[in-house]
Amino acid sequence: MSYEKLTPRSQDFSAWYNEVVQRAELADYAPVRGCMVIRPYGYALWENLQKELDRRFKATGHKNAYFPLFIPLSFIQKEAEHIQGFSPELAVVTHGGGEPLAEPLVVRPTSETIIGYMFKQWIKSYRDLPVLINQWANVVRWEMRPRLFLRTLEFLWQEGHTAHATEEEAEEEALRMLNIYVDVAQNEAAIPVIAGRKSESEKFAGALRSYTIEAMMGDKRALQAGTSHNLGQNFAKAFEIQYLDKNNQLQYCWTTSWGMSTRMIGAIIMTHGDDQGLILPPRLAPIQVIVVPIWRSGNQDEKAKVLESVERIKRVLGETVRLEVDAREEYTPGWRFNEWELRGVPVRIEIGPKDIQNHQVVLARRDTREKITISQDQLAERVPALLDNIQKNLFERAKRFRDENTIELSDYAKFKEFMEGEGSRGFVRAYWCGSRECEAKIKEETKATTRCIPFEQPKSPGRCIYCGKDAKEQAIFAKAY
RNA sequence: CGGAGAGUGGCGCAGUGGCAGCGCGCUUGGUUUGGGACCAAGAGGUCGCCGGUUCAAAUCCGGCCUCUCCGACCA
């Protein structure tokens, strides 16, 4: 590990981001362009996020299953908008076992089609509904410009797929799952998000309506952190997912799909990190507390006493918090402090000869880098409370940052000025008439896209920021990842 | 696919035709340890690939490949 300082966030955000990902050992570049290796520390973070999502999916009645990686090309082509949206980024297998394949196989970019095909086999009656399925999987999209965690050719995610008897049920499901994403993003990842509907041009290829949660990153750009789609009957019709209702009438199902990916790890890094490196929200941090013992070398007695206290700390906290000890003698305390700050551990416990003497420890919190000295007797009470406090603080801090960088505008000249130049100055809330033309013009002229039409809207209607015509709703505009 | 930059020990770089180097990391020994310690001795390289020029190429010429960053596209 090098001694070199990270590139400051303010100087070059993407250099900072790449350095943090690699030096914190979250991930590394793979030998194939656009592919990455998720290292144990990064994977542990993903597993914690998975647990929180999975728990909520199961609590709302969903069951996990697994569908194949390969999809017949013809499946993808069945839904018109779907193939249009995905064909540019498909990885296609043309040979197998040394022979050309009769029909090329697509490596799944998402699984609506193959799951739709299976739903057709499984669903016959209204009694079979709803079908509530989730799968944890990898998917492949041949992206032009990859970026660690945010956009890689292969990524990990969960994709939920459900089938319902009525439009209302499907709509309710899509919103229910979006709310779970809001909950996980805000309460686990400490990332404030704006929930809303995607515009027609930004919605999922083949969906009736797409819902999204949008977050603001540390460079004020927007990141889509999760999506949920009401697919209407589009896929049901393409794959003939039909059931007989109570009146013996054949009906098409209403389906949904929803996903959250390893991109969330990128969101966590870019929302909370600082010039020292990563800052992980306690609830998802693989290591919540790192203990750094300190002693003078050659003083065996002192070392024994310090390590004895460390054992006591482990006994007191080991059951309730994810705790590790870094007792490496080849690194000075200062080196270890920096190392664990780079890796984003929320709380550090420093314990050395002075502390032993006074029966105390030093707690250093990662978010504010503040140090507090407490009695060892208070550990069991103070450490979990501190973790909670950090979790809250991270969320509040990120929310404040987002709100400070969100502006409501009604004048297009001001809008343009706000979006001008490289980088981003934040989110704009503005009335928008809903037309594709205005949206496209705005994008062309400012590089800002509609991120979502938030559920929370002002009471009164207004005038479109671009064309000035009547507009029922406001949209969030921003430069996005 | 357009624009920019880079490929030389694990990482970061220097090296404009003549012995392949520096810093960090790594190994060993010793001294250290409350905010990125120090000393000493080591290990580690077909200089991205192919071809050409030359007595001689990391260096010059031609071609190719790869990666990163910025744009178009996207979870």
Side-chain angles (χ1 to χ4, degrees):
Chain A
M1 190 67 36
S2 140
Y3 276 175
E4 274 166 59
K5 282 225 176 342
L6 287 168
T7 301
R9 244 165 58 120
S10 54
Q11 189 191 312
D12 183 343
F13 195 82
S14 47
W16 169 85
Y17 177 81
N18 285 324
E19 288 171 25
V20 169
V21 168
Q22 289 176 83
R23 287 180 48 187
E25 296 181 8
L26 293 174
D28 212 342
Y29 288 107
V32 179
R33 180 196 76 93
C35 293
M36 64 184 261
V37 175
I38 304 177
R39 301 184 67 177
Y41 193 56
Y43 202 81
L45 186 53
W46 173 236
E47 284 178 314
N48 287 339
L49 183 67
Q50 275 188 308
K51 258 179 253 166
E52 293 303 331
L53 287 168
D54 204 63
R55 187 160 67 80
R56 288 166 172 83
F57 297 158
K58 285 172 180 157
T60 43
H62 302 83
K63 295 218 178 357
N64 285 334
Y66 187 80
F67 296 81
L69 176 69
F70 298 123
I71 300 177
L73 181 58
S74 58
F75 279 31
I76 306 281
Q77 293 164 337
K78 280 191 182 174
E79 210 291 328
E81 278 184 29
H82 195 64
I83 180 63
Q84 233 189 337
F86 281 103
S87 61
E89 50 188 52
L90 292 179
V92 183
V93 180
T94 54
H95 287 69
E99 297 286 323
L101 299 175
E103 181 183 354
L105 295 175
V106 167
V107 180
R108 65 178 162 220
T110 178
S111 302
E112 278 75 8
T113 55
I114 194 154
I115 291 179
Y117 174 84
M118 296 313 298
F119 276 7
K120 173 185 161 61
Q121 330 288 315
W122 297 339
I123 298 167
K124 300 293 172 206
S125 149
Y126 70 92
R127 294 194 177 89
D128 298 327
L129 297 171
V131 176
L132 306 173
I133 278 183
N134 176 62
Q135 87 164 340
W136 290 96
N138 57 341
V139 286
V140 169
R141 299 180 186 180
W142 217 262
E143 300 289 355
M144 293 301 164
R145 205 155 78 70
R147 210 157 144 63
L148 291 168
F149 285 113
L150 301 178
R151 199 183 306 106
T152 46
L153 298 202
E154 178 189 3
F155 60 92
L156 303 183
W157 74 347
Q158 58 68 217
E159 46 180 326
H161 295 270
T162 67
H164 307 265
T166 66
E167 180 171 16
E168 297 72 54
E169 274 181 51
E171 180 69 8
E172 200 181 300
E173 167 76 4
L175 291 172
R176 178 183 305 119
M177 301 325 282
L178 189 80
N179 281 330
I180 285 179
Y181 292 150
V182 171
D183 178 24
V184 169
Q186 301 203 142
N187 297 320
E188 303 295 339
I191 299 174
V193 293
I194 298 175
R197 193 175 83 239
K198 278 288 185 192
S199 72
E200 275 300 298
S201 59
E202 295 275 335
K203 76 174 190 193
F204 177 75
L208 185 67
R209 273 189 294 281
S210 285
Y211 299 107
T212 177
I213 54 172
E214 297 286 326
M216 183 186 286
M217 301 295 100
D219 61 351
K220 303 173 194 173
R221 287 168 69 166
L223 184 82
Q224 177 174 316
T227 44
S228 181
H229 316 290
N230 180 338
L231 301 174
Q233 293 181 313
N234 295 343
F235 285 87
K237 284 181 176 162
F239 286 89
E240 298 172 305
I241 311 170
Q242 290 174 298
Y243 69 95
L244 279 172
D245 68 13
K246 284 179 186 169
N247 307 316
N248 202 30
Q249 297 290 307
L250 204 52
Q251 304 283 359
Y252 284 108
C253 286
W254 298 81
T255 65
T256 80
S257 68
W258 26 275
M260 188 176 260
S261 72
T262 40
R263 174 181 256 200
M264 269 300 277
I265 294 172
I268 290 168
I269 300 164
M270 292 196 294
T271 300
H272 303 304
D274 65 11
D275 285 353
Q276 304 300 315
L278 210 55
I279 302 179
L280 296 178
R283 292 185 60 89
L284 296 180
I287 302 171
Q288 295 174 307
V289 175
I290 185 74
V291 181
V292 179
I294 301 155
W295 60 80
R296 282 169 296 207
S297 78
N299 191 334
Q300 288 305 315
D301 182 50
E302 189 171 281
K303 178 178 173 180
K305 277 186 182 147
V306 170
L307 289 179
E308 194 187 300
S309 295
V310 167
E311 283 309 307
R312 212 173 319 125
I313 293 171
K314 276 167 80 174
R315 276 200 300 278
V316 172
L317 291 175
E319 298 286 309
T320 47
V321 304
R322 296 187 285 273
L323 173 145
E324 283 190 18
V325 179
D326 182 1
R328 291 177 294 179
E329 290 188 72
E330 63 269 34
Y331 295 111
T332 61
W335 195 95
R336 285 176 282 165
F337 295 170
N338 281 291
E339 172 74 1
W340 292 108
E341 283 179 9
L342 170 66
R343 302 189 73 184
V345 175
V347 172
R348 178 176 68 244
I349 298 182
E350 302 171 14
I351 179 157
K354 275 185 273 176
D355 306 304
I356 301 293
Q357 211 165 39
N358 302 322
H359 193 66
Q360 65 185 30
V361 295
V362 174
L363 301 185
R365 54 187 291 176
R366 178 64 183 86
D367 57 345
T368 60
R369 303 186 77 217
E370 185 187 351
K371 289 195 187 191
I372 337 159
T373 302
I374 65 160
S375 158
Q376 290 183 23
D377 305 326
Q378 295 178 293
L379 276 167
E381 182 194 343
R382 295 287 294 271
V383 171
L386 182 58
L387 288 169
D388 280 347
N389 188 282
I390 292 170
Q391 180 82 26
K392 279 198 197 81
N393 183 49
L394 286 177
F395 178 79
E396 291 304 330
R397 193 157 90 174
K399 188 163 186 292
R400 210 177 313 127
F401 178 81
R402 184 196 68 193
D403 292 344
E404 280 165 7
N405 291 289
T406 301
I407 183 172
E408 188 169 334
L409 291 175
S410 53
D411 175 18
Y412 188 61
K414 289 209 177 100
F415 183 104
K416 262 177 101 163
E417 190 195 313
F418 186 82
M419 292 295 174
E420 226 155 69
E422 288 302 303
S424 171
R425 287 176 58 198
F427 289 3
V428 171
R429 262 190 106 103
Y431 281 99
W432 169 51
C433 64
S435 84
R436 233 174 233 277
E437 291 70 33
C438 290
E439 190 183 19
K441 282 287 181 195
I442 289 170
K443 183 175 177 182
E444 196 184 305
E445 292 169 19
T446 68
K447 287 178 185 165
T449 52
T450 58
R451 302 319 305 152
C452 71
I453 297 135
F455 293 136
E456 281 179 31
Q457 289 286 339
K459 297 275 182 290
S460 52
R463 298 193 175 282
C464 176
I465 183 107
Y466 192 81
C467 66
K469 288 182 191 145
D470 286 347
K472 278 183 287 199
E473 297 172 308
Q474 286 188 336
I476 300 288
F477 292 87
K479 291 182 185 168
Y481 274 96

